[in-house]
Amino acid sequence: MAKIQMKNAIAELDGDEMTRVLWAVIKEKLLTPYIDLKTEYYDLGLKARDDSDDAITYEAAEAIKRLGVGVKCATITSNAARMAEYNLKQLTPSPNGIIRSVLDGTVFRKPIQVKNVQPAVKSWKKPFIMGRHAYGDVYKNCEMYVDGPGKAELVFTGADGKEIRKTIMEMKGPGVLQGMHNTDKSIESFARCCFRYALDEKVDVWFATKDTISKTYDGRFKELFQKIFDAEFKADFEKAGLTYFYTLIDDAVARVMKSEGGILWACKNYDGDVMSDMVASASGSLSMMTSVLVSPDGKFEYEAAHGTVQRHYYRYLKGEKTSTNPVALIFAWTGALAKRAELDDTPELGAFAKKLEKATLDLIESGVMTGDLKALADPAPKEILNSWDFIDAIAAKLN
Ligand code: NAP
Ligand code: MG
């Protein structure tokens, strides 16, 4: 049978440890037998990043920008222990952080649902896509403890030297203070990423803040979201039969618990940090969660939400065939291939991506899965396979 041809390449970012091992198996067993795979390969393994002083990471990010589509394996973020383990020259920053800043992008997380792993919340029928603003607020704060009475003030000195001064509190005794910020530019980019990705996924957008209390700060988020929506997305949303809904964060949380899902929930930085972990764990398993980085001008990078599965890797190095779940990695590839197909107008490639996803989900729904899903599956699984046999079983279904 003739292999499926690709018009343009995908930026392929290889990674570390167990996910790097599975990456190669997925390509060998599930992709290259069917597709004449066109990728620009970047080795983002920790050693290669260290050797190149991270130049390779920046090159890869630029490649995603140029090609419009990337697929990334999980990578180690270096720390003191990794420095010794890999004999590194230096501590390098998180590659995901670098790529996110080059693309000015937002990360969306979406669970992969199967019938036999039910979400903890009974009403959830469709996945929630979580969009977290990744700039500013409490994550870039300035705080202090004061050990006695005094006047706390918020002061802004304009570039023209003009000063604005507000009293935060006349402190009667010791206490804590905090200053934080965000920028119109970052909030607007975030809004664009959310609306664009929702159109792509054909889902409604919910956005929530606490603007009744924080009238200026959170109020600005609400205002800018509405402004970007009205000016740039309203017509497309109407055409697609989709809506944008704004509410208070406490109301949003209550509604989410009763909703059936199928919504992109846009969250401010802190809300997204907390709520995406809640939604992720209530949806099933980290190993069944995909992640996509979307830039405001429509570049996409697909990856698994989980890390390099370090503990499994050490067992693998000792000769064990681990039962590590490759599903989120497979879906990173199918996401990237489907996006490439859409941009290049190559429906055959898009259809293959869908077929591979279906074969994977059908296999799990038939009761055959990896060990991580054992405790979650209802009914109990028929067969637990190691990663290699599981991938072979997907290939058998594909054929
Ligand atoms: P992790 O790799 O996500 O693994 C945490 C635990 O979750 C694993 O030990 C395993 O539990 C379970 N798990 C995760 N994915 C699984 C899968 N596909 N199949 C089966 N079980 C799975 O997180 P980590 O151990 O905190 O981090 C390891 C490395 O990954 C770190 O160096 C970190 O910097 C990096 N990391 C990278 C990314 C990224 O590139 N996007 C994201 C997060 C972390 P059991 O061991 O109990 O089976
Ligand atoms: Mg968190």
Coordinates of all heavy atoms in Angstrom, one line a residue, residues 117-167:
V117 N -13.3 4.5 31.7 CA -12.7 5.3 32.8 C -13.6 6.5 32.9 O -13.5 7.5 32.2 CB -11.3 5.6 32.5 CG1 -10.7 6.5 33.6 CG2 -10.4 4.4 32.2
Q118 N -14.5 6.5 33.9 CA -15.5 7.5 34.1 C -14.9 8.7 34.9 O -14.2 8.4 35.9 CB -16.7 7.0 34.8 CG -17.6 6.1 33.9 CD -18.3 6.9 32.8 OE1 -18.6 8.0 33.0 NE2 -18.4 6.2 31.6
P119 N -15.2 9.9 34.5 CA -14.8 11.0 35.4 C -15.5 10.9 36.8 O -16.6 10.3 36.9 CB -15.4 12.3 34.6 CG -15.8 11.8 33.3 CD -16.0 10.4 33.3
A120 N -14.9 11.5 37.8 CA -15.4 11.5 39.1 C -16.7 12.2 39.2 O -17.6 12.0 40.1 CB -14.4 12.0 40.1
V121 N -16.9 13.2 38.3 CA -18.1 14.0 38.3 C -19.1 13.4 37.3 O -18.8 13.3 36.1 CB -17.9 15.5 38.0 CG1 -19.1 16.3 38.0 CG2 -16.8 16.1 39.0
K122 N -20.3 12.9 37.8 CA -21.2 12.1 37.0 C -21.7 12.9 35.8 O -21.9 12.3 34.7 CB -22.3 11.6 37.8 CG -21.9 10.5 38.8 CD -23.1 9.6 39.1 CE -22.6 8.4 39.9 NZ -22.0 8.7 41.2
S123 N -21.9 14.2 35.9 CA -22.5 14.9 34.8 C -21.5 15.2 33.6 O -22.0 15.5 32.5 CB -23.0 16.3 35.3 OG -22.0 17.1 35.8
W124 N -20.2 15.0 33.9 CA -19.3 15.3 32.8 C -19.3 14.2 31.7 O -18.9 13.1 31.9 CB -17.8 15.4 33.4 CG -17.6 16.5 34.3 CD1 -18.5 17.5 34.6 CD2 -16.4 16.9 35.0 NE1 -18.0 18.4 35.5 CE2 -16.7 18.1 35.7 CE3 -15.1 16.3 35.0 CZ2 -15.7 18.7 36.5 CZ3 -14.2 16.9 35.8 CH2 -14.4 18.1 36.5
K125 N -19.8 14.6 30.6 CA -19.9 13.7 29.4 C -18.8 14.0 28.4 O -18.4 13.1 27.7 CB -21.3 13.8 28.7 CG -22.5 13.7 29.7 CD -22.8 12.2 29.9 CE -24.0 12.0 30.8 NZ -23.6 11.6 32.2
K126 N -18.5 15.3 28.3 CA -17.4 15.7 27.3 C -16.3 16.3 28.1 O -16.5 16.9 29.2 CB -18.1 16.7 26.3 CG -19.1 16.0 25.4 CD -19.7 17.1 24.5 CE -21.1 17.4 24.8 NZ -21.7 18.5 24.2
P127 N -15.1 16.3 27.5 CA -14.0 16.9 28.2 C -14.0 18.4 28.4 O -14.6 19.1 27.6 CB -12.8 16.5 27.3 CG -13.3 16.2 26.0 CD -14.7 15.7 26.2
F128 N -13.5 18.9 29.5 CA -13.2 20.3 29.7 C -11.8 20.6 29.1 O -10.9 19.9 29.5 CB -13.2 20.7 31.2 CG -14.6 20.8 31.7 CD1 -15.2 19.7 32.3 CD2 -15.3 22.0 31.6 CE1 -16.5 19.8 32.9 CE2 -16.6 22.0 32.1 CZ -17.2 20.9 32.8
I129 N -11.7 21.7 28.4 CA -10.4 22.1 27.9 C -10.1 23.3 28.9 O -10.8 24.2 29.0 CB -10.4 22.6 26.5 CG1 -10.9 21.5 25.6 CG2 -9.1 23.1 26.1 CD1 -11.1 21.9 24.1
M130 N -8.9 23.1 29.6 CA -8.5 24.1 30.5 C -7.5 25.1 29.9 O -6.5 24.6 29.4 CB -7.9 23.5 31.8 CG -8.8 22.5 32.5 SD -10.4 23.3 33.1 CE -9.7 24.4 34.4
G131 N -7.8 26.4 29.9 CA -6.8 27.4 29.4 C -6.3 28.2 30.6 O -7.1 28.8 31.2
R132 N -5.0 28.2 30.8 CA -4.5 28.9 31.9 C -3.6 30.0 31.4 O -2.7 29.8 30.7 CB -3.7 28.0 32.8 CG -2.9 28.7 33.9 CD -2.0 27.7 34.7 NE -1.2 28.5 35.6 CZ -0.2 28.0 36.3 NH1 0.0 26.7 36.2 NH2 0.6 28.7 37.1
H133 N -3.9 31.2 31.9 CA -3.1 32.4 31.6 C -1.7 32.1 32.3 O -1.7 31.8 33.5 CB -3.7 33.7 32.1 CG -3.0 34.9 31.7 ND1 -3.1 36.1 32.4 CD2 -2.2 35.2 30.6 CE1 -2.4 37.0 31.8 NE2 -1.8 36.5 30.7
A134 N -0.6 32.3 31.5 CA 0.6 31.8 32.1 C 1.5 33.0 32.4 O 2.8 32.9 32.5 CB 1.3 30.8 31.2
Y135 N 1.0 34.2 32.6 CA 1.8 35.4 32.9 C 1.3 36.2 34.1 O 0.1 36.4 34.2 CB 1.9 36.3 31.7 CG 2.7 37.5 32.0 CD1 4.1 37.5 31.9 CD2 2.2 38.7 32.4 CE1 4.9 38.6 32.2 CE2 2.9 39.8 32.7 CZ 4.3 39.7 32.6 OH 5.1 40.8 33.0
G136 N 2.2 36.6 35.0 CA 1.9 37.6 36.0 C 1.0 37.2 37.2 O 1.0 36.0 37.5
D137 N 0.3 38.1 37.7 CA -0.5 38.0 39.0 C 0.5 37.5 40.1 O 1.6 38.0 40.2 CB -1.6 37.0 38.8 CG -2.6 37.5 37.7 OD1 -2.5 38.6 37.2 OD2 -3.5 36.7 37.4
V138 N 0.0 36.6 40.9 CA 0.7 36.2 42.1 C 2.1 35.5 41.8 O 3.0 35.4 42.6 CB -0.2 35.3 43.0 CG1 -0.3 33.9 42.5 CG2 0.3 35.3 44.5
Y139 N 2.2 35.0 40.5 CA 3.4 34.3 40.2 C 4.6 35.3 39.9 O 5.7 34.8 39.7 CB 3.2 33.4 38.9 CG 2.1 32.4 39.3 CD1 0.7 32.7 39.1 CD2 2.4 31.2 39.9 CE1 -0.3 31.8 39.5 CE2 1.4 30.3 40.2 CZ 0.1 30.6 40.0 OH -0.9 29.8 40.4
K140 N 4.3 36.5 39.7 CA 5.3 37.5 39.5 C 5.1 38.6 40.6 O 5.2 39.8 40.3 CB 5.2 38.1 38.1 CG 6.4 37.7 37.2 CD 6.3 38.4 35.9 CE 7.4 38.2 34.9 NZ 8.6 37.6 35.2
N141 N 4.8 38.2 41.8 CA 4.4 39.2 42.8 C 5.7 39.8 43.5 O 6.8 39.4 43.4 CB 3.5 38.6 43.8 CG 4.1 37.6 44.7 OD1 5.3 37.3 44.6 ND2 3.4 37.2 45.7
C142 N 5.4 40.8 44.4 CA 6.4 41.4 45.2 C 5.7 41.5 46.6 O 4.6 42.0 46.7 CB 6.7 42.8 44.7 SG 7.7 43.8 45.8
E143 N 6.3 40.8 47.6 CA 5.6 40.8 48.9 C 6.5 41.0 50.0 O 7.7 40.9 49.9 CB 4.8 39.4 49.0 CG 5.6 38.2 48.7 CD 4.8 36.9 48.9 OE1 3.6 36.9 48.6 OE2 5.4 35.9 49.3
M144 N 5.9 41.4 51.1 CA 6.8 41.7 52.3 C 6.0 41.5 53.6 O 4.8 41.5 53.6 CB 7.4 43.1 52.3 CG 6.4 44.2 52.5 SD 7.3 45.8 52.7 CE 7.6 46.3 51.0
Y145 N 6.8 41.1 54.6 CA 6.2 41.1 56.0 C 6.7 42.3 56.7 O 7.8 42.7 56.6 CB 6.8 39.8 56.7 CG 6.5 39.8 58.1 CD1 5.2 39.5 58.6 CD2 7.5 40.0 59.1 CE1 4.9 39.5 59.9 CE2 7.2 40.0 60.4 CZ 5.9 39.7 60.9 OH 5.6 39.7 62.2
V146 N 5.8 43.0 57.3 CA 6.2 44.2 58.1 C 5.9 43.8 59.6 O 4.9 43.2 60.0 CB 5.4 45.4 57.7 CG1 5.8 45.9 56.3 CG2 3.9 45.3 57.7
D147 N 6.9 44.2 60.4 CA 6.8 43.8 61.8 C 6.2 44.8 62.8 O 6.4 44.6 64.0 CB 8.2 43.3 62.3 CG 9.2 44.5 62.2 OD1 8.8 45.6 61.9 OD2 10.4 44.2 62.5
G148 N 5.6 45.8 62.2 CA 5.0 46.8 63.2 C 4.1 47.7 62.4 O 3.9 47.6 61.2
P149 N 3.5 48.7 63.1 CA 2.5 49.6 62.5 C 3.2 50.5 61.5 O 4.4 50.7 61.5 CB 2.0 50.4 63.7 CG 2.9 50.1 64.9 CD 3.7 48.9 64.6
G150 N 2.4 51.0 60.6 CA 2.9 51.9 59.5 C 1.9 52.0 58.4 O 0.8 51.4 58.5
K151 N 2.2 52.8 57.4 CA 1.3 53.1 56.3 C 1.8 52.3 55.1 O 2.9 52.5 54.6 CB 1.3 54.6 56.0 CG 0.3 55.0 55.0 CD 0.3 56.5 55.0 CE -0.5 57.1 53.8 NZ -0.4 58.5 53.8
A152 N 1.0 51.4 54.5 CA 1.3 50.7 53.3 C 0.7 51.5 52.1 O -0.5 51.8 52.1 CB 0.8 49.3 53.4
E153 N 1.5 51.7 51.1 CA 1.0 52.5 49.9 C 1.4 51.8 48.6 O 2.4 51.1 48.5 CB 1.7 53.9 49.9 CG 1.2 54.8 51.0 CD 1.9 56.1 50.9 OE1 3.1 56.2 51.3 OE2 1.3 57.1 50.5
L154 N 0.5 52.0 47.6 CA 0.8 51.5 46.3 C 1.2 52.8 45.5 O 0.4 53.7 45.4 CB -0.5 50.9 45.7 CG -0.4 50.1 44.4 CD1 0.5 48.9 44.6 CD2 -1.8 49.6 44.1
V155 N 2.4 52.8 44.9 CA 2.9 54.0 44.2 C 3.3 53.6 42.8 O 4.0 52.6 42.6 CB 4.2 54.5 44.9 CG1 4.7 55.8 44.2 CG2 3.9 54.8 46.4
F156 N 2.8 54.4 41.8 CA 3.2 54.2 40.4 C 3.9 55.5 40.0 O 3.3 56.6 40.1 CB 2.0 53.9 39.6 CG 2.4 53.8 38.1 CD1 3.0 52.7 37.6 CD2 2.1 54.8 37.2 CE1 3.4 52.6 36.2 CE2 2.4 54.8 35.9 CZ 3.1 53.6 35.4
T157 N 5.1 55.4 39.5 CA 5.8 56.5 38.9 C 5.9 56.4 37.4 O 6.5 55.5 36.9 CB 7.3 56.6 39.5 OG1 7.2 56.4 40.9 CG2 7.9 57.9 39.2
G158 N 5.1 57.2 36.7 CA 5.0 57.1 35.3 C 6.3 57.5 34.6 O 7.2 58.1 35.2
A159 N 6.5 57.1 33.3 CA 7.7 57.4 32.6 C 8.0 58.9 32.5 O 9.1 59.4 32.4 CB 7.7 56.8 31.2
D160 N 6.9 59.7 32.6 CA 7.0 61.1 32.6 C 7.2 61.7 34.0 O 7.2 62.9 34.2 CB 5.7 61.7 32.0 CG 4.4 61.3 32.8 OD1 4.6 60.6 33.8 OD2 3.3 61.7 32.4
G161 N 7.4 60.8 35.0 CA 7.7 61.3 36.3 C 6.5 61.5 37.2 O 6.6 61.7 38.4
K162 N 5.3 61.5 36.6 CA 4.1 61.7 37.4 C 3.8 60.5 38.3 O 4.0 59.4 38.0 CB 2.9 61.9 36.4 CG 2.3 63.3 36.6 CD 0.9 63.5 36.3 CE 0.1 63.1 35.2 NZ -0.4 63.6 34.0
E163 N 3.4 60.9 39.5 CA 3.2 59.8 40.5 C 1.8 59.6 40.9 O 1.0 60.6 41.0 CB 4.0 60.3 41.8 CG 4.4 59.2 42.7 CD 5.3 59.7 43.8 OE1 4.6 60.1 44.8 OE2 6.5 59.7 43.7
I164 N 1.4 58.3 41.0 CA 0.0 58.0 41.5 C 0.2 57.3 42.8 O 1.1 56.4 42.9 CB -0.8 57.1 40.6 CG1 -0.8 57.7 39.2 CG2 -2.2 57.0 41.1 CD1 -1.4 56.8 38.1
R165 N -0.5 57.6 43.9 CA -0.2 57.1 45.2 C -1.6 56.7 45.8 O -2.5 57.5 45.8 CB 0.5 58.1 46.0 CG 1.0 57.7 47.3 CD 1.8 58.9 47.9 NE 3.2 59.0 47.4 CZ 4.3 58.4 47.9 NH1 4.2 57.6 48.9 NH2 5.4 58.5 47.3
K166 N -1.7 55.5 46.3 CA -2.9 55.1 47.0 C -2.5 54.4 48.3 O -1.5 53.7 48.4 CB -3.7 54.1 46.2 CG -4.5 54.7 45.1 CD -5.4 53.7 44.5 CE -6.5 54.3 43.6 NZ -7.5 53.3 43.2
T167 N -3.3 54.6 49.3 CA -3.1 53.9 50.6 C -3.7 52.5 50.5 O -4.9 52.4 50.2 CB -3.7 54.7 51.8 OG1 -3.1 56.0 51.8 CG2 -3.4 54.0 53.1

